[in-house]
Amino acid sequence: MASNQDSSKQKSSSSSQKDEDPGSSKRGFAGMPEEKQREIASQGGRAAHEKGMAHEFDSDEASRAGQKGGQVAHEKGTAHEFDSDEASRAGQKGGKAVSQDREHMSEIGRKGGESRQSANDEDAESSQQSTSGKPSGQRKRG
């Protein structure tokens, strides 16, 4: 019977130690140095990609995730704050990267040309209306 009391004392003393300082003893992955955790996580990510099991973000999903991360970082006060020179350099770097995508740049140019053409058409139409005093049914081409 004494052995039962001894074991119950051990259990109660170990549980009271946990109650006094909860979460102080990290075991397993959580107890490893951060560098080792990153190394293991990286290996897992590579293995998942090799197996075709890794999650692939589309651009919209990646954008939403980045925005969410930025909002959280700002709320916590851990977000990086750019000064104007740093922001300018980042914008230039991004612009250079985007300009390498010829298809994207072509699309931008096409949209700009369409927008400019429609603005010119509106200007010409309003110019004709103001000189004649009444709306014109047909425009002169030339």
Side-chain angles (χ1 to χ4, degrees), residues 13 34 37 45 49 66 90 102 107 110 120 125 136:
S13 67
E34 190 174 330
Q37 289 179 2
H49 278 283
R102 295 183 61 76
E107 183 180 335
R110 187 172 35 259
N120 286 342
E125 210 172 277
S136 173

Side-chain angles (χ1 to χ4, degrees), residues 10-32:
Q10 287 174 347
K11 287 180 184 176
S12 66
S13 67
S14 66
S15 68
S16 66
Q17 286 174 349
K18 288 179 184 175
D19 292 339
E20 290 172 8
D21 196 8
S24 65
S25 64
K26 294 181 180 177
R27 292 190 265 170
F29 193 77
M32 292 180 189

Side-chain angles (χ1 to χ4, degrees), residues 104-118:
H104 177 70
M105 295 305 291
S106 175
E107 183 180 335
I108 290 171
R110 187 172 35 259
K111 285 181 180 177
E114 291 169 358
S115 176
R116 185 177 184 127
Q117 182 62 45
S118 66

Side-chain angles (χ1 to χ4, degrees), residues 38-52:
R38 287 180 188 273
E39 183 182 322
I40 292 170
S42 177
Q43 290 172 353
R46 280 194 293 272
H49 278 283
E50 288 172 8
K51 287 183 175 180

